[in-house]
Amino acid sequence: MRNVVLAGALVIAAAALSACGGGSGSPTTGSSSPSQNTPPSTSPIDDEPSNIGTEVDAPNPVPPTPPLLPTQPVSVDGSLGITSYYPLFAAGTPTTEQIQYREADGTLVTLMGMRPTERHARERGEGWTEADQGPGRYLTFASAYFQNRTYGIEIRDHVPAGKQLIEMVLIVNDGTFDGTTFSLFRNSNDEGVRDYGWSLNTGFNNPKLGGKPVCMAGSRDCKIEFDSYWDVPKGQPHRALKMGDVIELAPAQRLERYGDGMHAGEPVSDSLKGRAVVDGAGSRYYSFEQLYVVGQGLVPWYGVAPRLNSAPLPDATLLGGLTSLSYNYSEEPMRVFQQMSNNIGIVNSKRFVQGRRLFHTSFLDGRHSEHPNDNPVFAAHVNQLGPRYNQERCIACHTLNGRSAFPGIGARLDSMAVLTAATASTGANPLPDATYGLNVQQRSRDAGAPDFSVSVQSYETTQYTLPDGEKVELQKPVYAFKGPVPAKFSVRQAAQIVGMGLIEAIDEATILALADPTDRDGDGVRGVPNWVSNPESAKVHLGRYGWKAAKATLRQQIGDALLKDMGVTSPVFPSRDCQRLDPGCHDVSGGTAISESELQRVSDYLSLLAVPAQRSLRSGFPADTRVSPEHDVNPDQINRGIALFAQAKCVACHTPQIQTGSKHPFAELRNQTVRPYSNFLLHDMGPGLSDTLAEGKAAASMWRTAPLWGLGSLKYVQGSEQNARYLHDGRARTLKEAILWHGGEATASRGKFEAMTKEERESVIAFLSSL
């Protein structure tokens, strides 16, 4: 154990972005009278303590999540396969926390959650004109990010109330901050500004503590205010604030720390100097750079001329509505599936990071997948891995929150799921395989246990020739089992996990309105809902998750994965016997490996992940700057692809736009116009994509329409274009192959794609790659 002293109560530090060298402890800045303070255009990369961690595990309790209101059964037409179901959420469901509201006089109050980051939003790991030397560190997660380091800012916008005033109140989730700074108004008028640089740099100082920059949880004493617009040409006076003004916000928090700030002059060892008093980890961080629109609130942004200046992204690009992740200019496209919703609340940012910790924790040794030697061991989850399992942590199957790593021929498929069933099993009456149960758990903690590895033995290949003569090779995997070959099985790759909360927030009636089980319009496309029995309550819900929509809730999806992939119990499946459908597996006493509150945290994390905005716009890189590959797009080609995608009737299943409801517990997810390109219904995709296992109403050839959001980021998240695989079993190496595998109800649309010119097909692929 390191020699770390804990002083006082647990302290939480927040994620923030400062103007490097600007404002820590400076006086509260008011109106337009102070002189503008433009920071230098570059900053030293090592101006904060190294990313050291701690062995001190200091969890911070989260306020209880309000209980869900009971729902009543809703009757539906029998053609939908059932006569009634239970909605997930009732009208009047309370929100977990507010994220925005208006006061009686029109003042707009927005609550902005923050987490720690390591650098600025436009720092790419090298100068803008230099060759690529690696990614930046804006989207990373520093050690101990999950404890004591989230916070928020309450933005009190009085401009809609007819006043010239905006207040920013620092809200610390836990403990004490000391020296938190705030930068506002990106100085786009300064030609030297690139990586960062703001017009207004200030600090959050506490008038109750003699103006010291010390801010504590439970207090609203630290705030700044301004009454004019600062991003003006040098030498010109500030102007009045007006509705629609855009203001970039870049906070940078500091925790109470040894040898500095509140503890300056105190004796301290070199090993502790600069470390956070609460847990011995890092004490200074940046945070997300957000864009605030006066009178409206926070919006996802992208960079425009000059110098990637911040501008609101058009609504059409916001695949996840206001949860969408802004364009990323730190060259970290591999990390875009891991970020918080853009509109996340203050306490919800804390729920998010705590759930993320569990998602990255090994249930064998309790170590975090990132900074394993710095982050404290999660002692409560040591040695909870089941006797048989596939992986020891959730993130191991979802590469950087993306898809399974697809191995080569002969390699074990232990980041994929191999579902199994007995000969007599049906969708309505599932029966476990005698050897494996409901899935093959390919690894064992007992070195003498039988080897149940599953691998790709070979591929059956088919040469497909398009009408214009282009040839495409399609491949179908042939599997090898070290154990007995199950009578029925289905191999599934793990899917990317962004947008899962938004899917849960869509009202059932919205999805069911897209169903057409009897093909009333005669277009050959049906769309059938799957119906799922809740494993905890036995109530019937609409299926939403998984390749066959066989899971109704995030809670069920998480519990199912914990049990089947890791042998870890939870309140959803409290016994490992549930993996074999033991009828008494829910009738157990005592605790489970994952507690109720921890299960809620993982659900919170998955719910609040941002969906990356569509990369369909050119960014305003300076002429002498290398354009990052993920932003080197052709908007005209993408727009042409959108039109062709619709003309081919692909939108009959891949519904472009849908509205979430007003009942989800997270305010962030309510009433969002989202663009998942899915109707979340089952469609018969023909014999080419059929396997042998049915689930509920989903026959072996039926699959849920997969959401397409995030599709274009897969090649970055998975490590390369060659590592990105498509369709349920990952057989398709390219998007073109994936389209050509479509059969059944999608046959006509596939034919329209085949009949396109090569240039038109490339436009469709360019569109899909922008999502």
Side-chain angles (χ1 to χ4, degrees):
M1 179 68 70
R2 293 190 181 113
N3 181 24
V4 177
V5 179
L6 297 182
L10 299 178
V11 185
I12 191 163
L17 266 154
S18 84
C20 298
S24 179
S26 61
T28 301
T29 304
S31 63
S32 57
S33 56
S35 61
Q36 292 169 271
N37 175 21
T38 302
S41 61
T42 58
S43 63
I45 202 70
D46 58 350
D47 62 350
E48 73 268 14
S50 60
N51 187 27
I52 53 176
T54 174
E55 290 182 359
V56 176
D57 194 2
N60 312 121
V62 173
T65 301
L68 292 177
L69 300 177
T71 62
Q72 300 301 316
V74 174
S75 298
V76 291
D77 188 278
S79 66
L80 294 176
I82 205 165
T83 57
S84 67
Y85 70 91
Y86 282 85
L88 295 184
F89 308 112
T93 297
T95 57
T96 304
E97 68 170 320
Q98 285 185 308
I99 60 171
Q100 191 176 64
Y101 60 92
R102 288 188 188 272
E103 297 181 337
D105 67 352
T107 297
L108 180 65
V109 181
T110 302
L111 300 128
M112 176 177 76
M114 294 275 109
R115 72 155 180 95
T117 63
E118 296 183 87
R119 293 305 303 170
H120 293 294
R122 296 175 181 82
E123 287 186 304
R124 312 202 304 184
E126 67 280 328
W128 278 24
T129 59
E130 296 177 19
D132 186 13
Q133 299 173 33
R137 292 187 287 132
Y138 173 59
L139 297 182
T140 55
F141 287 81
S143 58
Y145 69 88
F146 44 78
Q147 58 189 28
N148 308 306
R149 286 164 178 80
T150 61
Y151 68 108
I153 294 174
E154 179 185 287
I155 305 168
R156 300 185 57 78
D157 182 354
H158 298 277
V159 177
K163 302 176 185 177
Q164 275 294 300
L165 180 66
I166 295 179
E167 299 172 285
M168 305 276 183
V169 182
L170 181 65
I171 306 295
V172 180
N173 273 334
D174 299 277
T176 301
F177 284 4
D178 177 10
T180 294
T181 62
F182 201 20
S183 302
L184 304 95
F185 298 101
R186 187 161 188 265
N187 193 5
S188 61
N189 290 288
D190 186 336
E191 294 183 1
V193 167
R194 289 200 175 188
D195 305 276
Y196 69 96
W198 294 272
S199 300
L200 170 56
N201 295 302
T202 186
F204 283 100
N205 301 324
N206 192 333
K208 293 185 178 179
L209 294 176
K212 293 180 180 179
V214 178
C215 310
M216 293 163 285
S219 166
R220 296 174 50 84
D221 299 323
C222 294
K223 70 178 181 179
I224 67 168
E225 58 185 42
F226 54 93
D227 60 10
S228 62
Y229 189 82
W230 283 66
D231 187 12
V232 295
K234 188 174 182 179
Q236 292 191 14
H238 294 182
R239 64 165 175 81
L241 291 163
K242 64 179 186 295
M243 297 284 283
D245 275 342
V246 294
I247 304 171
E248 185 172 277
L249 312 177
Q253 78 277 25
R254 296 202 76 172
L255 278 67
E256 178 187 8
R257 58 203 172 277
Y258 293 109
D260 192 12
M262 298 166 62
H263 298 273
E266 296 179 4
V268 61
S269 67
D270 289 342
S271 63
L272 288 178
K273 190 172 183 179
R275 295 197 193 184
V277 169
V278 64
D279 57 18
S283 64
R284 185 198 176 192
Y285 303 93
Y286 301 89
S287 191
F288 272 23
E289 295 179 19
Q290 287 278 37
L291 193 64
Y292 181 80
V293 178
V294 176
Q296 177 180 340
L298 300 171
V299 296
W301 60 273
Y302 76 121
V304 299
R307 296 170 290 283
L308 293 179
N309 195 31
S310 302
L313 275 163
D315 288 347
T317 67
L318 301 182
L319 302 181
L322 291 178
T323 75
S324 300
L325 180 68
S326 301
Y327 280 16
N328 167 244
Y329 297 108
S330 54
E331 293 196 323
E332 298 172 271
M334 75 293 289
R335 299 187 179 111
V336 296
F337 286 172
Q338 302 183 60
Q339 308 309 317
M340 302 189 307
S341 296
N342 188 75
N343 60 346
I344 197 168
I346 297 173
V347 178
N348 282 345
S349 66
K350 180 175 170 180
R351 293 184 170 97
F352 178 93
V353 296
Q354 290 188 358
R356 185 184 190 274
R357 182 195 188 181
L358 274 161
F359 202 79
H360 285 253
T361 292
S362 164
F363 289 93
L364 180 61
D365 59 20
R367 287 156 70 95
H368 198 289
S369 66
E370 302 161 329
H371 313 297
N373 297 321
D374 288 341
N375 280 323
V377 169
F378 207 156
H381 297 297
V382 173
N383 205 34
Q384 290 185 331
L385 195 66
R388 296 205 70 97
Y389 64 99
N390 288 322
Q391 295 289 344
E392 61 188 66
R393 49 171 62 91
C394 302
I395 192 67
C397 287
H398 300 274
T399 304
L400 298 183
N401 285 1
R403 300 191 174 187
S404 300
F406 198 83
I409 289 177
R412 182 160 39 194
L413 298 173
D414 54 8
S415 69
M416 301 180 77
V418 182
L419 307 186
T420 55
T423 304
S425 180
T426 66
N429 183 32
L431 299 173
D433 179 87
T435 301
Y436 305 116
L438 296 178
N439 71 304
V440 183
Q441 295 172 320
Q442 299 181 50
R443 293 179 177 270
S444 174
R445 296 181 65 180
D446 179 359
D451 185 355
F452 286 163
S453 297
V454 182
S455 62
V456 176
Q457 175 180 292
S458 61
Y459 287 101
E460 296 176 352
T461 60
T462 303
Q463 193 80 352
Y464 203 93
T465 303
L466 298 173
D468 62 1
E470 181 182 356
K471 296 184 185 300
V472 181
E473 183 184 78
L474 302 183
Q475 62 175 26
K476 181 178 181 180
V478 177
Y479 298 105
F481 290 77
K482 286 290 182 69
V485 177
K488 297 184 177 182
F489 69 93
S490 180
V491 178
R492 316 271 178 87
Q493 69 165 322
Q496 65 263 35
I497 58 175
V498 295
M500 296 184 78
L502 292 167
I503 295 171
E504 196 170 54
I506 302 169
D507 286 343
E508 287 84 357
T510 302
I511 296 175
L512 294 177
L514 300 171
D516 186 13
T518 60
D519 193 18
R520 294 185 306 270
D521 56 10
D523 65 353
V525 178
R526 287 173 168 78
V528 176
N530 207 353
W531 299 104
V532 179
S533 176
N534 188 314
E536 296 177 271
S537 68
K539 292 180 178 180
V540 174
H541 301 300
L542 174 66
R544 300 168 188 255
Y545 298 107
W547 290 100
K548 288 186 181 288
K551 312 296 185 300
T553 65
L554 264 178
R555 182 184 178 92
Q556 182 185 2
Q557 176 71 29
I558 295 162
D560 188 80
L562 287 168
L563 179 73
K564 291 179 179 176
D565 297 331
M566 293 177 282
V568 172
T569 59
S570 72
V572 182
F573 296 111
S575 166
R576 293 189 180 113
D577 292 336
C578 293
Q579 195 268 346
R580 292 180 174 272
L581 291 180
D582 187 304
C585 76
H586 287 275
D587 303 325
V588 296
S589 59
T592 53
I594 290 285
S595 68
E596 175 60 38
S597 63
E598 289 176 325
L599 179 65
Q600 185 64 55
R601 290 296 80 76
V602 179
S603 180
D604 294 345
Y605 168 62
L606 295 178
S607 293
L608 293 167
L609 282 166
V611 177
Q614 183 182 8
R615 289 173 291 105
S616 54
L617 303 174
R618 293 292 294 186
S619 296
F621 286 95
D624 61 343
T625 304
R626 175 180 51 82
V627 176
S628 304
E630 63 269 28
H631 293 296
D632 191 8
V633 300
N634 183 335
D636 291 338
Q637 185 186 35
I638 291 169
N639 289 332
R640 178 65 174 143
I642 293 172
L644 291 165
F645 189 78
Q647 289 173 22
K649 306 297 184 184
C650 300
V651 294
C653 301
H654 292 284
T655 305
Q657 183 172 299
I658 203 164
Q659 188 83 12
T660 66
S662 59
K663 303 171 188 174
H664 196 281
F666 284 134
E668 293 90 335
L669 308 178
R670 291 185 173 189
N671 302 311
Q672 295 297 317
T673 301
V674 298
R675 296 159 182 85
Y677 288 91
S678 174
N679 59 13
F680 305 103
L681 296 167
L682 300 171
H683 294 274
D684 191 325
M685 300 300 290
L689 288 177
S690 182
D691 52 31
T692 59
L693 193 144
E695 292 183 85
K697 301 291 183 182
S701 61
M702 297 177 75
W703 303 95
R704 181 195 72 155
T705 304
L708 302 183
W709 49 23
L711 203 61
S713 293
L714 281 175
K715 64 182 179 182
Y716 304 108
V717 172
Q718 303 298 137
S720 72
E721 198 159 7
Q722 290 70 35
N723 290 340
R725 298 301 178 101
Y726 309 96
L727 300 178
H728 66 279
D729 56 5
R731 68 178 65 181
R733 295 160 292 185
T734 66
L735 291 170
K736 186 179 296 182
E737 286 183 37
I739 294 170
L740 295 178
W741 271 110
H742 282 50
E745 296 175 40
T747 300
S749 289
R750 186 196 67 213
K752 291 179 184 296
F753 175 78
E754 294 171 354
M756 293 177 188
T757 66
K758 183 176 179 64
E759 182 181 18
E760 288 174 330
R761 291 194 296 270
E762 289 175 352
S763 293
V764 172
I765 300 301
F767 154 61
L768 294 173
S769 298
S770 74
L771 296 176

